[in-house]
Structure formats: C-alpha cells, structure tokens
Amino acid sequence: MSTPVAELSVETTPIPGLLVVRLPLHEDSRGWFKENWQRAKMTALGLPDFGPVQHSVAYNARRGVTRGVHTEPWDKFISVAHGRIFGAWVDMREGDSFGAVFTIEADPTVAVFVPRGVGNSYQVLEDDTTYSYLVNDHWRPGLAYPALSLADPTVAIPWPIPLDEAEISDKDQTTPMLADVEPMKPRKTLIIGHKGQLGTALQADFPGADLVDLDELDVTDPDQVAAWPWNDYGLVLNAAAYTAVDAAEKPDGRRTAWAANAGAPATLARLAVEHRFTLVHYSTEYVFDGTVDPHTEDEPLSPLGVYAQSKAAGDIAAATAPRHYVLRTSWVIGSGKNFVRTMQQLAANGVSPSVVDDQVGRLTFTDELSRATRHLLDVGASYGTYNVSNGGEPTSFADVAKAVFALSGRSPDDVTTVTTEEYFAGKELAPRPLRSVMDLGKLRATGFEPEDAQVALERYLSAGG
C-alpha cells in the first residue's frame, strides 16, 4: 500500500474533468475503514455531484488481468477495495484533448472520477484485486460505445506488464486503433418551442440544437415523453408556454395553461433528475402581483390570474431539477406578433391608440434573453433563478408606444394615455401586475450587462423587427 493519506483531497489531471481523489484510510488492529464515496465532502472539494445509480465490483484473481479501454456514455467513479492496479485513461471525446492520456497506480487510497467520454482501462498488479466503480446510468444490453486497442501506438500506454504476458478478453483483443475511432460527441441541446419568439432567437446562440415544437414533441403527452431519447441531451431549453393571458381564465384555456405552464416543467424537472441534463425554464414577472418595486429573485410568489398562477407553479416545479436555471423576464419582444409590432403597425396605419401608463417595467428582447442564457451557461453561473430583461430606466407601456411612434415618423402625442382601470372597464380581462420592474443585480453579478432597452428598440425597429 502507498504512503498513508492524511486527509481527503482532489487533484486535476491533464485530461479535462478527470480527477484523482486521495482517500484517507482509518486503520487499527482489525484492518482499515475508508469513506469511498462521500458526497458532501467530495463535492465541496470540486468533485461533480454526478448522482450514481449503480455500484459494480470486478474481482480479478490473477496479476496481469488487463481490461479496457472502454468509453461508456456515463460518468464513473473507480476505486480499489483490495489489491493494486495500474489505471490508464484516454480522452475519447470530440475536441482538442482527444487522445490525451493519464496513468496512475492505485491502491485503496486512490480513487478516480472519470467523466463521460473518457476511456477507462486498468491492469491488475496483485493477485486477488477487487476493483469497484459507481456509475450514474444503468448498463443496458446492446449499448454501443467507443473502445480503443490496449496496444495503440499513438497513445502508447506504458503497461507495467507487457500485453503479450497479460490476460485479456477476446473482445478487448479486437478493439480499433485511435485513427479508426469516431470521437464521442458531447450530449446534445434540445430547444422545446422552437417556433415561438424566444425559441427562434435561441437558435442563433445554440446552433446545432435539436428543435421541437408541439407537433414533434408534446411534453404534456406521457406516451410521447416516454418515447423521446432524453439521455441524448445535456441541455434542455424550455421555451414553450401557453401565453394567452386572458384566454387562460376560460375553462379550456385554464386546463391548457396548467398543462403547458406547470405540468410540462414538472415533467422536464423529473426527466432532468433521471437523465442528468441541465434544464433552462423561462418564466415571467406575472408570478408577482406587481405591488413590489423592483422584484427580486427571492420575493415570495403572489400571482394574480390563472396564467400567472400556472407560471408560478412551473417555477416551483422547474426548481426541483438539480441543475436548473429559471429565467424570469418581462414584456418579451421578438419575431412575430408582439406589443412593439402592434404599435408599429398602428403608427403605419394612421391609428392613434390609447395605451395604459400605469403598468411599468422594461422590455426584454428575445435576442437579449438568449444572450443571457448563453452567458449563464458559459460562465457556469450558480444554478437557480435569475431576473432577465433589457436594462435602462423603467417605462410604461404608453412610454414604449410613444417611442415606437416617434421612431416610426409619427408624433408621440398621437398616443393618448389611460389607466389600467379605465382600459379594463367593461372587458373580461385577466388581472395584470402594475409594477413589473425586476432587479437585475444577481444577473449583473455574473458579469452580464443588459443592453439598454431604448437602444435595443431602435435597432429592432430599424431592422424591421
């Protein structure tokens, strides 16, 4: 056995994400004890919280047994329960580190975290060696994954026992050389609701993502959900929602709103736990009653109408996913029909509208919301809820309408103002929050600076929306 380890530690290696863990042994006259996997302590030192679901043990009777190089599509935590091995790992992932090699001798004081896509192999250095490993997905018969020849001259693993003297399975004798291996691709991104305003914008920042809408995948349909290959994805962006605020107050709309805005996020959160993907879910300032200014991420939920209530329930559901971002936004403007587009059309048609001046917030352009999404993922921001909108001074809907008229060549005075109470008189409309301004401090603390809404509005209109 190697030199005793004084305390638990985690070390990086030349292979990105491959980590060596030094494990203290507590010995006495009876033998020894070790904490082989200790979630709280190890994750605090930088080990991923990878969520193991299966524990397997391989007993190796004789010195010289050699296994691998196998590249399973899951994370693995390997350790030695008894004996000693020479471990070797080869990065088989697509990217600059493809083909990188790391080796180490391991006894019960050493464990190694092996990320998905890194080939794992070992050679037994002592008789009666017991090799243990945790994985975060269940082995399935017929599953194909890359393998590599133990004797590949490119990676040139320095086996202590020559391979012609080692005991190797027939299967491991026939694996390909590195030049013939197709690198393992990263898990994919899925955009749900790709035909909507936000879904359209997200495609620019997440090129190559799989795109689905209701006609390809209805997340409220259990059969469709069960048939979908969720394990292929590392990131799911849920840009789908039922946004007919007033129709949600009707019986049919109520059912649809709750299914899409609450039930679907709950399903996705459950799948995120099962398949270990990161879930990004988009929410709204409607989850608040509009009596606080500005709204912070930790403000208690206080939704007014059915749409708002269903979105609030969706926030709670999405937050149960271990790796989640709930992005709350307001007054969303993108491609297709929206408030700015409507005002632009009214200006062009010579109409002089009345617009409410006591609902105050900030516009959120979909390209800015998409940019913020990309930023949070790229910088590895802490999981949780973030307010996201464009920056600048808060405005009323009437202020926005006047700005659109001015930028469209009409006089801002052609827009008259009205209170929400006056506008709602005699109409069956869902209640709206009057104050929709969100505090952007948490987002800014990640290094993201929101673009001024007025600047974005001018560019949006000049580009034709």
Side-chain angles (χ1 to χ4, degrees):
M1 195 170 296
S2 63
T3 304
V5 176
E7 61 182 29
L8 180 71
S9 64
V10 176
E11 304 166 3
T12 59
T13 71
I15 296 179
L18 185 79
L19 303 173
V20 173
V21 183
R22 304 288 180 177
L23 302 169
L25 299 187
H26 306 282
E27 299 182 80
D28 60 22
S29 59
R30 299 167 297 174
W32 56 258
F33 166 83
K34 68 173 177 175
E35 293 181 331
N36 196 60
W37 164 247
Q38 215 287 2
R39 177 176 175 266
K41 294 178 183 178
M42 292 179 179
T43 56
L45 292 173
L47 202 72
D49 193 1
F50 72 113
V53 298
Q54 181 172 320
H55 180 205
S56 301
V57 176
Y59 171 70
N60 303 275
R62 289 176 296 280
R63 178 180 182 274
V65 169
T66 305
R67 302 176 187 260
V69 178
H70 301 155
T71 313
E72 296 97 339
W74 46 68
D75 301 322
K76 178 182 286 190
F77 184 79
I78 74 99
S79 60
V80 176
H82 180 268
R84 193 163 53 94
I85 67 163
F86 173 84
W89 294 271
V90 182
D91 198 336
M92 306 284 276
R93 297 169 295 187
E94 184 177 80
D96 295 340
S97 60
F98 177 72
V101 181
F102 175 75
T103 64
I104 192 173
E105 283 197 17
D107 62 12
T109 68
V110 175
V112 178
F113 175 77
V114 187
R116 175 188 182 274
V118 174
N120 185 83
S121 61
Y122 66 94
Q123 188 172 74
V124 176
L125 302 181
E126 295 180 3
D127 292 350
D128 296 320
T129 290
T130 303
Y131 179 90
S132 168
Y133 55 99
L134 299 169
V135 294
N136 58 3
D137 199 3
H138 296 104
W139 180 84
R140 301 182 296 279
L143 181 67
Y145 46 79
L148 175 68
S149 171
L150 294 162
D152 180 83
T154 307
V155 300
I157 297 171
W159 299 109
I161 301 169
L163 292 179
D164 58 3
E165 301 175 16
E167 185 173 345
I168 304 171
S169 71
D170 292 342
K171 180 179 179 180
D172 285 344
Q173 297 271 17
T174 59
T175 47
M177 297 296 176
L178 189 67
D180 299 318
V181 170
E182 182 177 352
M184 182 176 284
K185 296 183 181 297
R187 297 173 77 194
K188 298 186 292 183
T189 294
L190 178 67
I191 299 176
I192 301 175
H194 77 95
K195 295 178 182 177
Q197 291 189 92
L198 176 56
T200 299
L202 287 169
Q203 294 170 49
D205 287 298
F206 296 88
D210 285 357
L211 309 175
V212 295
D213 217 278
L214 191 64
D215 48 352
E216 293 99 0
L217 173 63
D218 182 356
V219 184
T220 67
D221 184 323
D223 292 335
Q224 292 188 39
V225 168
W228 195 260
W230 296 102
N231 212 45
D232 293 348
Y233 300 97
L235 173 64
V236 174
L237 307 171
N238 182 32
Y242 181 85
T243 59
V245 176
D246 298 317
E249 301 293 326
K250 308 295 184 182
D252 287 346
R254 182 180 298 111
R255 284 187 286 270
T256 304
W258 274 92
N261 297 342
T267 296
L268 291 172
R270 173 180 58 79
L271 293 166
V273 173
E274 182 179 350
H275 299 282
R276 309 178 316 282
F277 59 73
T278 297
L279 174 62
V280 180
H281 176 68
Y282 297 91
S283 187
T284 169
E285 89 283 10
Y286 270 69
V287 300
F288 303 122
D289 62 11
T291 60
V292 175
D293 189 0
H295 299 295
T296 59
E297 285 84 356
D298 58 359
E299 179 184 335
L301 302 177
S302 53
L304 295 173
V306 171
Y307 162 76
Q309 292 158 8
S310 68
K311 290 297 290 184
D315 283 18
I316 295 170
T320 63
R323 292 169 289 276
H324 75 272
Y325 295 98
V326 173
L327 305 189
R328 287 200 186 118
T329 190
S330 61
W331 300 10
V332 175
I333 305 297
S335 60
K337 186 178 180 181
N338 56 63
F339 178 75
V340 168
R341 177 74 80 184
T342 299
M343 292 300 108
Q344 186 182 34
Q345 190 63 50
L346 294 178
N349 293 343
V351 177
S352 298
S354 295
V355 182
V356 295
D357 65 353
D358 57 352
Q359 293 182 35
V360 177
R362 294 190 189 96
L363 296 176
T364 306
F365 288 87
T366 52
D367 58 354
E368 186 75 344
L369 185 51
S370 178
R371 184 173 76 93
T373 304
R374 182 78 267 175
H375 166 82
L376 291 170
L377 290 162
D378 287 347
V379 302
S382 298
Y383 298 119
T385 299
Y386 290 82
N387 292 336
V388 180
S389 73
N390 280 82
E393 291 299 315
T395 59
S396 69
F397 276 114
D399 293 331
V400 175
K402 288 175 180 291
V404 172
F405 266 57
L407 292 167
S408 301
R410 289 280 301 275
S411 170
D413 294 336
D414 290 340
V415 176
T416 58
T417 62
V418 64
T419 67
T420 298
E421 184 179 4
E422 291 168 338
Y423 185 81
F424 276 31
K427 301 184 180 77
E428 293 186 11
L429 300 175
R432 266 72 165 170
L434 295 184
R435 306 297 297 185
S436 296
V437 182
M438 294 189 296
D439 188 317
L440 302 177
K442 183 177 178 181
L443 177 64
R444 285 193 169 101
T446 69
F448 185 89
E449 185 56 41
E451 183 182 38
D452 187 284
Q454 181 64 27
V455 174
L457 176 62
E458 292 174 7
R459 183 176 64 251
Y460 177 84
L461 291 174
S462 65

